[in-house]
Amino acid sequence: MTRLQIIFTRLALFALVMGAWEALPRAGAVNPLLLPPLSGVVRMLGQLLGRAQVQEAIGVTAAEVIVAFIIAVPLGAAIGILAAENDYFGAIFRPMLFYVFSIPKSIFLPMFILVFGIGFGQKVAYAAFSTLFIVIMSAAAAVESVKADHVLVARSYGASPLQVLTRVYVPSMMPFLLEALRISMIFNFTGVMIAEMYASRTGIGHLIASWGENFQMPQLLAGVILLAAVAILFNETVRWLEGRCSTWRT
Amino acid sequence: MQRPSPATVRRLILVLVLALWEVVPLTGVLPELFLPALSKTLTVLVQNWAEYAHALAVTLYEVALSMAIACGGGILVGALVGGLALLRNLLLPVFSSLYAVPIVILYPIFTAWFGIGSESKIAFAGIYGFFPVMLSTAAGIGTIDQNLLLAARSMGASVPQQIARVVIPASIPTVLSGLRLGGALAIIGVVVAEMLTSSDGIGYLVTRYRTVLDSPRVFAAILMILVLSVVFDLIARWAERRTLAWQTAGRRERGAQIRARSLAAAPATA
């Protein structure tokens, strides 16, 4: 299949799913109370975006996501680089990190609530905590992607440490760093969402959870579409950047 | 002085954490509300064993069913997507785009559709674990060394023989690492779902006792969940070690790469 055909087939599949979402509830094949037709959900999304309450919630969630990201990434990157550059430290902590990955971090939410309350600080602290581990792992992987041969060659030709950093480390690590940022942001976003859905007074996650509890399906589905669209858009933008940077890698 | 081996340091850290858990609350630095002592947590766990055992049974039942959905469905769809070039080109990029969506936002939809009983947890955790199993199975089958297949074909192997003798053994390591990840995610999915909206299970106990500020009972439930994920991780690692013999040296390296990739392709955990 050519590239154009693939894109066309994907669009057709997308249209098919969206068409079914519209047609099935209308035809009565699916209970419209459980799955309202797509057009109604999109109209509801337009209305919601005009409401002051929803706009405020979006602002709060965005601020939480950004602050948590700014805390988690430098901290995790520092630990990850330490783990990759220092063999002994790495040998101690690497297996622990892989294990921590399989623990449901949401079980620590009660402690975050006790310490920070259920406001802005608790969302930021929990999201940063749940993002930290993936940042550490990605940063360590990025450092390890730098080929020792390249560093050796640069040093033999008399490159200064600064030159080695800017000419060898940064270009080799660039695609990994972007991927690390992308994946960390997804974890971060998930962390904020869970914290907001669990106990909160504002934020999009809180709105979604309460729409679900009150069985307001059009509002709930509109919120899910909005969040999914934002997440996919961010992900695709960074992936596009990654594709452009990977030409630097040998 | 010789430095202690990393494994020793890890054990020391574990002992230190457990000791601090016991000592710090006793000294009164932290009030019991924030951190009840380990001994107190264990006492509460033993005294209320019937309640916790019942919750554990509910959670294990949900985990088992959602693992079956995640692993069964994941291997089936992954084999189809990885084995057929048409589906691979068409769908794999779509799945990796969808992975950016925090799956937890779908949970309110599941509770609205299936109620707050076990069904919504099983559906949610099944989907949570499905993607990594599917993606790593597709990667395992899609990246089989073509020379192996060529050799089998040249020697006159039929298609079923090629599948049974080449495709399945060659993709087992990748599939297993996907199962490990998918299983861990199924546990996480069930616990998260129980904490959010539920009427039973260990996650529900965490939330219920948190709202009445009964910290020892909250920590008893947290401890059980920690033990549950440690036990699962040990079983999965043991299974992976058992199948190491099937990997050739070249594959083992590739297996590590694929494992890193399938880890990156997992939905965000929390």
Side-chain angles (χ1 to χ4, degrees), chain A residues 95-120:
Chain A
M96 292 170 95
L97 283 174
F98 272 99
Y99 169 64
V100 166
F101 205 82
S102 62
I103 294 179
K105 278 166 270 312
S106 60
I107 56 174
F108 300 112
L109 265 171
M111 290 180 223
F112 282 90
I113 292 173
L114 280 173
V115 177
F116 296 100
I118 61 165
F120 188 86

PDB file of all heavy atoms in Angstrom, chain A residues 95-120:
ATOM      1  N   PRO A  95      17.493  -2.246  39.907  1.00  0.00           N
ATOM      2  CA  PRO A  95      16.439  -3.260  40.117  1.00  0.00           C
ATOM      3  C   PRO A  95      15.280  -2.721  40.954  1.00  0.00           C
ATOM      4  O   PRO A  95      14.125  -3.087  40.733  1.00  0.00           O
ATOM      5  CB  PRO A  95      17.175  -4.378  40.862  1.00  0.00           C
ATOM      6  CG  PRO A  95      18.610  -4.157  40.578  1.00  0.00           C
ATOM      7  CD  PRO A  95      18.777  -2.681  40.430  1.00  0.00           C
ATOM      8  N   MET A  96      15.597  -1.831  41.902  1.00  0.00           N
ATOM      9  CA  MET A  96      14.522  -1.272  42.726  1.00  0.00           C
ATOM     10  C   MET A  96      13.582  -0.423  41.880  1.00  0.00           C
ATOM     11  O   MET A  96      12.370  -0.472  42.041  1.00  0.00           O
ATOM     12  CB  MET A  96      15.115  -0.409  43.844  1.00  0.00           C
ATOM     13  CG  MET A  96      15.883  -1.200  44.875  1.00  0.00           C
ATOM     14  SD  MET A  96      16.792  -0.116  45.971  1.00  0.00           S
ATOM     15  CE  MET A  96      15.650   0.041  47.306  1.00  0.00           C
ATOM     16  N   LEU A  97      14.168   0.334  40.947  1.00  0.00           N
ATOM     17  CA  LEU A  97      13.336   1.193  40.101  1.00  0.00           C
ATOM     18  C   LEU A  97      12.393   0.360  39.245  1.00  0.00           C
ATOM     19  O   LEU A  97      11.224   0.680  39.100  1.00  0.00           O
ATOM     20  CB  LEU A  97      14.220   2.054  39.203  1.00  0.00           C
ATOM     21  CG  LEU A  97      14.864   3.232  39.915  1.00  0.00           C
ATOM     22  CD1 LEU A  97      15.832   3.934  38.995  1.00  0.00           C
ATOM     23  CD2 LEU A  97      13.793   4.196  40.379  1.00  0.00           C
ATOM     24  N   PHE A  98      12.925  -0.742  38.676  1.00  0.00           N
ATOM     25  CA  PHE A  98      12.068  -1.586  37.844  1.00  0.00           C
ATOM     26  C   PHE A  98      10.928  -2.161  38.663  1.00  0.00           C
ATOM     27  O   PHE A  98       9.815  -2.309  38.199  1.00  0.00           O
ATOM     28  CB  PHE A  98      12.875  -2.709  37.190  1.00  0.00           C
ATOM     29  CG  PHE A  98      13.461  -2.302  35.882  1.00  0.00           C
ATOM     30  CD1 PHE A  98      14.773  -1.897  35.785  1.00  0.00           C
ATOM     31  CD2 PHE A  98      12.673  -2.289  34.740  1.00  0.00           C
ATOM     32  CE1 PHE A  98      15.304  -1.488  34.574  1.00  0.00           C
ATOM     33  CE2 PHE A  98      13.200  -1.880  33.533  1.00  0.00           C
ATOM     34  CZ  PHE A  98      14.514  -1.482  33.451  1.00  0.00           C
ATOM     35  N   TYR A  99      11.231  -2.472  39.946  1.00  0.00           N
ATOM     36  CA  TYR A  99      10.177  -3.006  40.785  1.00  0.00           C
ATOM     37  C   TYR A  99       9.146  -1.926  41.118  1.00  0.00           C
ATOM     38  O   TYR A  99       7.935  -2.162  41.035  1.00  0.00           O
ATOM     39  CB  TYR A  99      10.760  -3.614  42.067  1.00  0.00           C
ATOM     40  CG  TYR A  99       9.664  -3.908  43.022  1.00  0.00           C
ATOM     41  CD1 TYR A  99       8.696  -4.852  42.684  1.00  0.00           C
ATOM     42  CD2 TYR A  99       9.503  -3.183  44.187  1.00  0.00           C
ATOM     43  CE1 TYR A  99       7.623  -5.075  43.498  1.00  0.00           C
ATOM     44  CE2 TYR A  99       8.433  -3.405  45.000  1.00  0.00           C
ATOM     45  CZ  TYR A  99       7.502  -4.355  44.659  1.00  0.00           C
ATOM     46  OH  TYR A  99       6.435  -4.557  45.455  1.00  0.00           O
ATOM     47  N   VAL A 100       9.621  -0.733  41.462  1.00  0.00           N
ATOM     48  CA  VAL A 100       8.709   0.363  41.816  1.00  0.00           C
ATOM     49  C   VAL A 100       7.723   0.623  40.675  1.00  0.00           C
ATOM     50  O   VAL A 100       6.574   0.983  40.887  1.00  0.00           O
ATOM     51  CB  VAL A 100       9.516   1.641  42.139  1.00  0.00           C
ATOM     52  CG1 VAL A 100       8.628   2.861  42.165  1.00  0.00           C
ATOM     53  CG2 VAL A 100      10.229   1.495  43.459  1.00  0.00           C
ATOM     54  N   PHE A 101       8.218   0.366  39.435  1.00  0.00           N
ATOM     55  CA  PHE A 101       7.378   0.565  38.269  1.00  0.00           C
ATOM     56  C   PHE A 101       6.097  -0.255  38.343  1.00  0.00           C
ATOM     57  O   PHE A 101       5.058   0.149  37.833  1.00  0.00           O
ATOM     58  CB  PHE A 101       8.185   0.145  37.039  1.00  0.00           C
ATOM     59  CG  PHE A 101       7.739   0.816  35.802  1.00  0.00           C
ATOM     60  CD1 PHE A 101       8.178   2.091  35.500  1.00  0.00           C
ATOM     61  CD2 PHE A 101       6.868   0.196  34.928  1.00  0.00           C
ATOM     62  CE1 PHE A 101       7.758   2.733  34.368  1.00  0.00           C
ATOM     63  CE2 PHE A 101       6.446   0.830  33.793  1.00  0.00           C
ATOM     64  CZ  PHE A 101       6.896   2.097  33.508  1.00  0.00           C
ATOM     65  N   SER A 102       6.146  -1.439  38.979  1.00  0.00           N
ATOM     66  CA  SER A 102       4.977  -2.312  38.966  1.00  0.00           C
ATOM     67  C   SER A 102       4.088  -2.118  40.196  1.00  0.00           C
ATOM     68  O   SER A 102       3.118  -2.834  40.360  1.00  0.00           O
ATOM     69  CB  SER A 102       5.407  -3.774  38.849  1.00  0.00           C
ATOM     70  OG  SER A 102       6.174  -4.120  39.967  1.00  0.00           O
ATOM     71  N   ILE A 103       4.431  -1.165  41.063  1.00  0.00           N
ATOM     72  CA  ILE A 103       3.576  -0.880  42.227  1.00  0.00           C
ATOM     73  C   ILE A 103       2.515   0.142  41.826  1.00  0.00           C
ATOM     74  O   ILE A 103       2.832   1.112  41.147  1.00  0.00           O
ATOM     75  CB  ILE A 103       4.413  -0.290  43.378  1.00  0.00           C
ATOM     76  CG1 ILE A 103       5.402  -1.316  43.907  1.00  0.00           C
ATOM     77  CG2 ILE A 103       3.521   0.188  44.510  1.00  0.00           C
ATOM     78  CD1 ILE A 103       6.243  -0.751  45.018  1.00  0.00           C
ATOM     79  N   PRO A 104       1.263  -0.061  42.223  1.00  0.00           N
ATOM     80  CA  PRO A 104       0.275   0.991  41.970  1.00  0.00           C
ATOM     81  C   PRO A 104       0.576   2.189  42.869  1.00  0.00           C
ATOM     82  O   PRO A 104       0.417   2.099  44.080  1.00  0.00           O
ATOM     83  CB  PRO A 104      -1.070   0.347  42.330  1.00  0.00           C
ATOM     84  CG  PRO A 104      -0.767  -0.945  42.972  1.00  0.00           C
ATOM     85  CD  PRO A 104       0.697  -1.214  42.903  1.00  0.00           C
ATOM     86  N   LYS A 105       1.041   3.288  42.267  1.00  0.00           N
ATOM     87  CA  LYS A 105       1.447   4.427  43.091  1.00  0.00           C
ATOM     88  C   LYS A 105       0.252   5.151  43.707  1.00  0.00           C
ATOM     89  O   LYS A 105       0.397   5.916  44.657  1.00  0.00           O
ATOM     90  CB  LYS A 105       2.319   5.370  42.266  1.00  0.00           C
ATOM     91  CG  LYS A 105       3.754   4.870  42.241  1.00  0.00           C
ATOM     92  CD  LYS A 105       4.604   5.526  41.198  1.00  0.00           C
ATOM     93  CE  LYS A 105       4.619   4.836  39.855  1.00  0.00           C
ATOM     94  NZ  LYS A 105       4.844   3.415  39.853  1.00  0.00           N
ATOM     95  N   SER A 106      -0.953   4.850  43.190  1.00  0.00           N
ATOM     96  CA  SER A 106      -2.135   5.521  43.728  1.00  0.00           C
ATOM     97  C   SER A 106      -2.391   5.132  45.181  1.00  0.00           C
ATOM     98  O   SER A 106      -3.073   5.868  45.893  1.00  0.00           O
ATOM     99  CB  SER A 106      -3.351   5.167  42.888  1.00  0.00           C
ATOM    100  OG  SER A 106      -3.554   3.782  42.910  1.00  0.00           O
ATOM    101  N   ILE A 107      -1.821   3.991  45.658  1.00  0.00           N
ATOM    102  CA  ILE A 107      -2.078   3.622  47.057  1.00  0.00           C
ATOM    103  C   ILE A 107      -1.445   4.623  48.013  1.00  0.00           C
ATOM    104  O   ILE A 107      -1.777   4.643  49.192  1.00  0.00           O
ATOM    105  CB  ILE A 107      -1.593   2.192  47.409  1.00  0.00           C
ATOM    106  CG1 ILE A 107      -0.117   2.037  47.095  1.00  0.00           C
ATOM    107  CG2 ILE A 107      -2.411   1.153  46.691  1.00  0.00           C
ATOM    108  CD1 ILE A 107       0.457   0.710  47.549  1.00  0.00           C
ATOM    109  N   PHE A 108      -0.526   5.469  47.512  1.00  0.00           N
ATOM    110  CA  PHE A 108       0.075   6.467  48.393  1.00  0.00           C
ATOM    111  C   PHE A 108      -0.727   7.761  48.415  1.00  0.00           C
ATOM    112  O   PHE A 108      -0.380   8.686  49.147  1.00  0.00           O
ATOM    113  CB  PHE A 108       1.524   6.730  47.985  1.00  0.00           C
ATOM    114  CG  PHE A 108       2.377   5.495  48.057  1.00  0.00           C
ATOM    115  CD1 PHE A 108       2.883   4.911  46.915  1.00  0.00           C
ATOM    116  CD2 PHE A 108       2.632   4.896  49.279  1.00  0.00           C
ATOM    117  CE1 PHE A 108       3.650   3.755  46.982  1.00  0.00           C
ATOM    118  CE2 PHE A 108       3.399   3.738  49.361  1.00  0.00           C
ATOM    119  CZ  PHE A 108       3.897   3.172  48.211  1.00  0.00           C
ATOM    120  N   LEU A 109      -1.787   7.833  47.616  1.00  0.00           N
ATOM    121  CA  LEU A 109      -2.621   9.042  47.599  1.00  0.00           C
ATOM    122  C   LEU A 109      -3.120   9.434  48.991  1.00  0.00           C
ATOM    123  O   LEU A 109      -3.095  10.618  49.337  1.00  0.00           O
ATOM    124  CB  LEU A 109      -3.812   8.849  46.660  1.00  0.00           C
ATOM    125  CG  LEU A 109      -3.642   9.370  45.241  1.00  0.00           C
ATOM    126  CD1 LEU A 109      -4.804   8.917  44.385  1.00  0.00           C
ATOM    127  CD2 LEU A 109      -3.555  10.888  45.227  1.00  0.00           C
ATOM    128  N   PRO A 110      -3.574   8.469  49.835  1.00  0.00           N
ATOM    129  CA  PRO A 110      -4.032   8.879  51.173  1.00  0.00           C
ATOM    130  C   PRO A 110      -2.969   9.645  51.943  1.00  0.00           C
ATOM    131  O   PRO A 110      -3.288  10.610  52.642  1.00  0.00           O
ATOM    132  CB  PRO A 110      -4.352   7.536  51.846  1.00  0.00           C
ATOM    133  CG  PRO A 110      -4.692   6.629  50.729  1.00  0.00           C
ATOM    134  CD  PRO A 110      -3.827   7.042  49.584  1.00  0.00           C
ATOM    135  N   MET A 111      -1.680   9.234  51.816  1.00  0.00           N
ATOM    136  CA  MET A 111      -0.618   9.959  52.533  1.00  0.00           C
ATOM    137  C   MET A 111      -0.467  11.366  51.993  1.00  0.00           C
ATOM    138  O   MET A 111      -0.283  12.317  52.757  1.00  0.00           O
ATOM    139  CB  MET A 111       0.697   9.213  52.378  1.00  0.00           C
ATOM    140  CG  MET A 111       0.716   7.909  53.130  1.00  0.00           C
ATOM    141  SD  MET A 111       2.299   7.115  52.894  1.00  0.00           S
ATOM    142  CE  MET A 111       1.740   5.462  52.622  1.00  0.00           C
ATOM    143  N   PHE A 112      -0.534  11.512  50.666  1.00  0.00           N
ATOM    144  CA  PHE A 112      -0.422  12.853  50.095  1.00  0.00           C
ATOM    145  C   PHE A 112      -1.568  13.737  50.565  1.00  0.00           C
ATOM    146  O   PHE A 112      -1.396  14.926  50.784  1.00  0.00           O
ATOM    147  CB  PHE A 112      -0.391  12.780  48.565  1.00  0.00           C
ATOM    148  CG  PHE A 112       0.943  12.371  48.014  1.00  0.00           C
ATOM    149  CD1 PHE A 112       1.237  11.035  47.815  1.00  0.00           C
ATOM    150  CD2 PHE A 112       1.909  13.311  47.733  1.00  0.00           C
ATOM    151  CE1 PHE A 112       2.472  10.652  47.329  1.00  0.00           C
ATOM    152  CE2 PHE A 112       3.147  12.946  47.250  1.00  0.00           C
ATOM    153  CZ  PHE A 112       3.430  11.605  47.050  1.00  0.00           C
ATOM    154  N   ILE A 113      -2.747  13.128  50.727  1.00  0.00           N
ATOM    155  CA  ILE A 113      -3.895  13.913  51.177  1.00  0.00           C
ATOM    156  C   ILE A 113      -3.692  14.346  52.625  1.00  0.00           C
ATOM    157  O   ILE A 113      -3.970  15.493  52.994  1.00  0.00           O
ATOM    158  CB  ILE A 113      -5.191  13.104  50.997  1.00  0.00           C
ATOM    159  CG1 ILE A 113      -5.471  12.925  49.507  1.00  0.00           C
ATOM    160  CG2 ILE A 113      -6.358  13.780  51.683  1.00  0.00           C
ATOM    161  CD1 ILE A 113      -6.609  12.007  49.194  1.00  0.00           C
ATOM    162  N   LEU A 114      -3.156  13.421  53.464  1.00  0.00           N
ATOM    163  CA  LEU A 114      -2.914  13.786  54.869  1.00  0.00           C
ATOM    164  C   LEU A 114      -1.909  14.924  54.971  1.00  0.00           C
ATOM    165  O   LEU A 114      -2.064  15.830  55.774  1.00  0.00           O
ATOM    166  CB  LEU A 114      -2.390  12.574  55.639  1.00  0.00           C
ATOM    167  CG  LEU A 114      -3.420  11.562  56.094  1.00  0.00           C
ATOM    168  CD1 LEU A 114      -2.730  10.351  56.677  1.00  0.00           C
ATOM    169  CD2 LEU A 114      -4.353  12.182  57.106  1.00  0.00           C
ATOM    170  N   VAL A 115      -0.854  14.862  54.164  1.00  0.00           N
ATOM    171  CA  VAL A 115       0.219  15.846  54.297  1.00  0.00           C
ATOM    172  C   VAL A 115      -0.150  17.171  53.623  1.00  0.00           C
ATOM    173  O   VAL A 115       0.070  18.236  54.178  1.00  0.00           O
ATOM    174  CB  VAL A 115       1.528  15.290  53.695  1.00  0.00           C
ATOM    175  CG1 VAL A 115       2.634  16.341  53.755  1.00  0.00           C
ATOM    176  CG2 VAL A 115       1.955  14.042  54.442  1.00  0.00           C
ATOM    177  N   PHE A 116      -0.735  17.094  52.410  1.00  0.00           N
ATOM    178  CA  PHE A 116      -0.921  18.315  51.617  1.00  0.00           C
ATOM    179  C   PHE A 116      -2.372  18.773  51.520  1.00  0.00           C
ATOM    180  O   PHE A 116      -2.643  19.787  50.886  1.00  0.00           O
ATOM    181  CB  PHE A 116      -0.387  18.114  50.195  1.00  0.00           C
ATOM    182  CG  PHE A 116       1.093  17.882  50.110  1.00  0.00           C
ATOM    183  CD1 PHE A 116       1.599  16.597  49.967  1.00  0.00           C
ATOM    184  CD2 PHE A 116       1.985  18.940  50.158  1.00  0.00           C
ATOM    185  CE1 PHE A 116       2.965  16.375  49.878  1.00  0.00           C
ATOM    186  CE2 PHE A 116       3.355  18.725  50.069  1.00  0.00           C
ATOM    187  CZ  PHE A 116       3.837  17.437  49.932  1.00  0.00           C
ATOM    188  N   GLY A 117      -3.327  18.028  52.094  1.00  0.00           N
ATOM    189  CA  GLY A 117      -4.726  18.398  51.906  1.00  0.00           C
ATOM    190  C   GLY A 117      -5.217  17.933  50.533  1.00  0.00           C
ATOM    191  O   GLY A 117      -4.613  17.057  49.923  1.00  0.00           O
ATOM    192  N   ILE A 118      -6.310  18.508  50.034  1.00  0.00           N
ATOM    193  CA  ILE A 118      -6.787  18.062  48.716  1.00  0.00           C
ATOM    194  C   ILE A 118      -6.735  19.205  47.709  1.00  0.00           C
ATOM    195  O   ILE A 118      -7.475  19.226  46.739  1.00  0.00           O
ATOM    196  CB  ILE A 118      -8.205  17.461  48.770  1.00  0.00           C
ATOM    197  CG1 ILE A 118      -9.213  18.493  49.261  1.00  0.00           C
ATOM    198  CG2 ILE A 118      -8.255  16.213  49.602  1.00  0.00           C
ATOM    199  CD1 ILE A 118     -10.646  18.076  48.977  1.00  0.00           C
ATOM    200  N   GLY A 119      -5.838  20.157  47.924  1.00  0.00           N
ATOM    201  CA  GLY A 119      -5.770  21.299  47.016  1.00  0.00           C
ATOM    202  C   GLY A 119      -4.718  21.150  45.935  1.00  0.00           C
ATOM    203  O   GLY A 119      -4.317  20.041  45.573  1.00  0.00           O
ATOM    204  N   PHE A 120      -4.258  22.292  45.452  1.00  0.00           N
ATOM    205  CA  PHE A 120      -3.305  22.379  44.357  1.00  0.00           C
ATOM    206  C   PHE A 120      -2.002  21.645  44.684  1.00  0.00           C
ATOM    207  O   PHE A 120      -1.495  20.863  43.880  1.00  0.00           O
ATOM    208  CB  PHE A 120      -3.031  23.872  44.101  1.00  0.00           C
ATOM    209  CG  PHE A 120      -2.224  24.159  42.877  1.00  0.00           C
ATOM    210  CD1 PHE A 120      -2.844  24.285  41.644  1.00  0.00           C
ATOM    211  CD2 PHE A 120      -0.854  24.321  42.964  1.00  0.00           C
ATOM    212  CE1 PHE A 120      -2.100  24.553  40.519  1.00  0.00           C
ATOM    213  CE2 PHE A 120      -0.102  24.587  41.831  1.00  0.00           C
ATOM    214  CZ  PHE A 120      -0.725  24.706  40.614  1.00  0.00           C
TER     215      PHE A 120
END
